[in-house]
Amino acid sequence: MTPQEMWNVYKQINPSIGDGIDAWAFGVDPDLLAELVFKGEKTATASAYDLYAVEDEPLPQEGTFDIILDSQDQAVCIIEVTKVSVRPFHQVSADHAYKEGEGDKSLAY
């Protein structure tokens, strides 16, 4: 399913989402990570703060919806951004690492 098709279907359920689509894939292993999101095992993610400035993109905003794509740019699911925080890497919590859903879900991983 294309991102636009998924957005149109979801918009029938939640018309308040509007027309603007933000669709993206995870960079490292988009298929695996999209599947973890779809299954509910990955409920958090992290990215490098400095890249937002380099790429001239705004930080994610709470209450917005994004489409997660696979490696073929097909829509896998829609997520809602419920919390955004900025912190140094050494302050990332074990709880956040677990919610990332990757590897053994530990902070060490």
Side-chain angles (χ1 to χ4, degrees):
M1 177 179 291
T2 68
Q4 187 65 60
E5 290 168 338
M6 183 174 278
W7 196 258
N8 291 343
V9 169
Y10 187 64
K11 192 171 177 180
Q12 292 176 10
I13 299 165
N14 184 1
S16 67
I17 63 170
D19 295 323
I21 299 174
D22 192 6
W24 51 273
F26 292 97
V28 177
D29 190 345
D31 294 328
L32 171 65
L33 298 179
E35 180 67 20
L36 290 174
V37 172
F38 181 78
K39 294 189 315 189
E41 293 181 32
K42 181 172 182 58
T43 60
T45 195
S47 53
Y49 178 78
D50 291 341
L51 291 181
Y52 287 95
V54 169
E55 296 174 2
D56 196 28
E57 289 191 29
L59 290 173
Q61 297 294 309
E62 293 178 19
T64 59
F65 295 85
D66 293 347
I67 295 178
I68 302 300
L69 304 174
D70 64 15
S71 62
Q72 302 300 308
D73 289 333
Q74 292 298 298
V76 175
C77 58
I78 296 177
I79 62 166
E80 180 180 5
V81 178
T82 59
K83 182 179 179 181
V84 177
S85 61
V86 177
R87 65 190 62 217
F89 182 76
H90 72 276
Q91 291 180 3
V92 172
S93 69
D95 183 55
H96 181 88
Y98 182 84
K99 290 176 181 178
E100 288 258 357
E102 299 173 43
D104 65 4
K105 301 182 182 180
S106 72
L107 186 58
Y109 180 84

